[in-house]
Amino acid sequence: MGLDRRRVSRIATVLVLALAVAGCHGGSPRAVPSGTRSMAASTSSATAACFGQPAGARALTLTTNDGLALSAVEIGGGAKGVLLVPEAGTQGECGWMSYAGELAAKGLHVLLFDMPCQGASTCSSAASAAADEEQPGFGKEGIAAVDAALIELHSAGAKTIVMVGASAGATTALAAEAGTAASSSPGVAAIVALSADELGTLPSEASTIHVPVFMAVADGDKYVSTVDERKLFDALGAPPTLRTLDVRPAGAGHGWDLLADDGFKGKVTDFITAQLAAGYTLWGTGAKTIMLSNESDEDQGSWQAYADHLVGEGYKVAMWDYGDQDPVTHLGAIVADLRAHGSGPVFLMGASQGAKTSLVAAAGIKPPVTAVVTLSAEAIMRPGIDVSSYVKQLTCPVLLLTAAQDVYGSADAAKTFQADLPNLARTLTYDGSDHGTHLLSGSNGVKVIADVDAFLKAHSA
């Protein structure tokens, strides 16, 4: 699921895709919430309205950016989120309930919802009046509903999210990912699309989808052909190592009915849990990867505009949020996972806490990363780690960026790090007091970005 990462006429794409998924039968930089419950949602204990609804399920009412109210159910909690996008038809969120309970039992944080015009969700007057719209609530309104659900799941504490859609819901999930530059929802780490149908122009726009995707369709599916599904799969922007198409035997079912096969359901669950276990979000298809580590009081959403820039420069970008484990260990594990999945040269770049984490982690990563870029790295990393002692161990080039009047001491720390690594480090100091990612967006932002671009290019050969 994605960030505002490619500013290339994507608003028009959203409108085209919205029209394409309407009738399925079966922006600006993205403001990611801080992790507290969204004010757009109200919560209550869920009554057992769906068969198989687990105890502890919580009923929500979500509000889309166009004012529609969506019925939703939240099960479980935590940082590993799964958003389930329903098929068209009368089942809505209830069609996912059994599987949602299984995912929650594995410790995952699950949100399922009714699309506009489904179940208790409201329906716009335009959709209600559209006689030629066979399935109102998918199309443009469906994409807005997905965005609202993603915002809610993220604000409820999910740091990494996998989106799973069935039939028209699968198409809507993919269309939402392809058009995320025009929305305000947080990105997702991966997508599962079960029998995506009524594809419209989606295959021609799928090159904008760079997250890992697991697609499945049954041979002989009466709603979508395996040929069309293959065209969509081949058009995805994600590299081959990050996408899967599973063609099921004839008669295996459509959409969420594919999960009736326990073996196949296990594959889907394994994909979901593997993506959530990876603990990072990946964008772009470049041969070189920039690993971005955020400030302690921000999340990966703080990188969104800059990630857009890096992807435009031809890099692959990985972002993550700090979990329960030691951030240095976590970052090292992510780099190892990136390399295991075929990433080429890896650069580390961090802001404030993420800058210190990058420097300390780089000292222990073998083989060494290609280079490290720091925005406002300070001298001490909690709890009491002397960053300088790790900088002295580095064998790769380092670019140290700081504001002259940084109130957290990064200017003085940069002088120490420069002395620690005189032949490999380069320090650039800018006027003002911008700290961390604000160096990229403040009064010196254009210059800072140009300086980083030059450093990355110089060390990319």
Side-chain angles (χ1 to χ4, degrees):
M1 20 189 81
L3 303 173
D4 181 19
R5 56 193 184 280
R6 275 169 289 282
R7 297 188 184 124
V8 284
S9 64
R10 296 283 296 284
I11 294 178
T13 297
V14 175
L15 297 177
V16 171
L17 292 174
L19 295 174
V21 298
C24 295
H25 47 78
S28 58
R30 317 187 75 189
V32 180
S34 63
T36 57
R37 172 68 70 185
S38 168
M39 294 301 292
S42 57
T43 310
S44 65
S45 297
T47 57
C50 301
F51 177 78
Q53 183 166 295
R58 300 173 295 283
L60 306 175
T61 300
L62 311 181
T63 303
T64 67
N65 59 9
D66 48 6
L68 298 182
L70 306 178
S71 171
V73 174
E74 182 182 28
I75 309 171
K80 297 180 178 181
V82 181
L83 180 65
L84 300 174
V85 187
E87 297 186 13
T90 58
Q91 282 189 284
E93 63 190 24
C94 290
W96 281 122
M97 191 60 68
S98 177
Y99 188 51
E102 293 180 30
L103 294 174
K106 293 183 176 292
L108 304 182
H109 188 170
V110 185
L111 184 68
L112 50 159
F113 64 100
D114 284 330
M115 282 289 196
C117 309
Q118 265 188 336
S121 294
T122 59
C123 193
S124 73
S125 56
S128 300
D132 60 344
E133 188 174 8
E134 184 181 349
Q135 294 295 343
F138 286 78
K140 269 194 308 187
E141 290 182 342
I143 291 173
V146 167
D147 284 346
L150 284 172
I151 289 171
E152 173 55 29
L153 185 54
H154 189 278
S155 70
K159 295 292 188 181
T160 309
I161 300 172
V162 173
M163 185 157 53
V164 184
S167 190
T171 310
T172 305
L174 291 166
E177 174 60 23
T180 47
S183 78
S184 60
S185 66
V188 300
I191 299 173
V192 176
L194 305 177
S195 312
D197 62 7
E198 299 287 349
L199 301 177
T201 60
L202 182 57
S204 67
E205 306 296 341
S207 62
T208 62
I209 300 174
H210 293 273
V211 298
V213 177
F214 182 105
M215 291 177 57
V217 63
D219 195 17
D221 187 314
K222 64 180 179 179
Y223 298 117
V224 61
S225 71
T226 54
V227 172
D228 286 343
E229 212 78 341
R230 171 64 69 178
K231 288 179 182 177
L232 172 59
F233 176 77
D234 289 341
L236 293 169
T241 56
L242 295 179
R243 48 189 164 99
T244 299
L245 175 60
D246 191 333
V247 178
R248 309 301 299 156
H254 179 81
W256 49 40
D257 289 342
L258 292 172
L259 299 176
D261 182 302
D262 286 339
F264 173 72
K265 181 168 63 175
K267 284 185 180 181
V268 173
T269 302
D270 287 347
F271 175 83
I272 294 170
T273 55
Q275 298 304 318
L276 294 174
Y280 63 90
T281 305
L282 195 65
W283 308 119
T285 58
K288 304 173 184 66
T289 302
I290 314 294
M291 183 73 230
L292 301 177
S293 298
N294 50 280
E295 300 181 29
S296 58
D297 59 344
E298 296 180 347
D299 58 25
Q300 60 183 271
S302 63
W303 290 113
Q304 49 198 296
Y306 187 58
D308 178 39
H309 168 78
L310 290 174
V311 169
E313 292 294 308
Y315 297 101
K316 187 187 300 180
V317 179
M319 295 163 284
W320 64 297
D321 290 316
Y322 305 111
D324 295 333
Q325 61 182 301
D326 165 43
V328 172
T329 301
H330 194 167
L331 180 55
I334 291 173
V335 172
D337 192 71
L338 287 169
R339 287 171 165 171
H341 286 89
S343 287
V346 176
F347 296 79
L348 301 185
M349 182 171 177
S352 191
Q353 168 79 354
K356 294 180 287 188
T357 300
S358 298
L359 289 169
V360 175
I365 293 174
K366 305 299 180 189
V369 296
T370 301
V372 180
V373 178
T374 70
L375 305 175
S376 311
E378 300 122 326
I380 302 297
M381 179 177 172
R382 293 191 302 269
I385 296 173
D386 177 20
V387 178
S388 174
S389 63
Y390 291 88
V391 172
K392 292 174 182 176
Q393 302 174 39
L394 296 178
T395 59
C396 64
V398 176
L399 179 63
L400 304 163
L401 307 178
T402 182
Q405 287 80 45
D406 185 290
V407 297
Y408 299 102
S410 73
D412 289 337
K415 295 176 183 177
T416 299
F417 302 151
Q418 181 69 59
D420 291 335
L421 211 63
N423 297 322
L424 288 174
R426 181 187 180 200
T427 300
L428 296 177
T429 304
Y430 304 90
D431 292 337
S433 59
D434 287 333
H435 183 79
T437 55
H438 292 284
L439 283 170
L440 300 168
S441 58
S443 59
N444 297 299
V446 172
K447 173 62 173 169
V448 172
I449 291 172
D451 288 339
V452 176
D453 283 349
F455 176 82
L456 294 175
K457 184 176 180 180
H459 296 287
S460 291

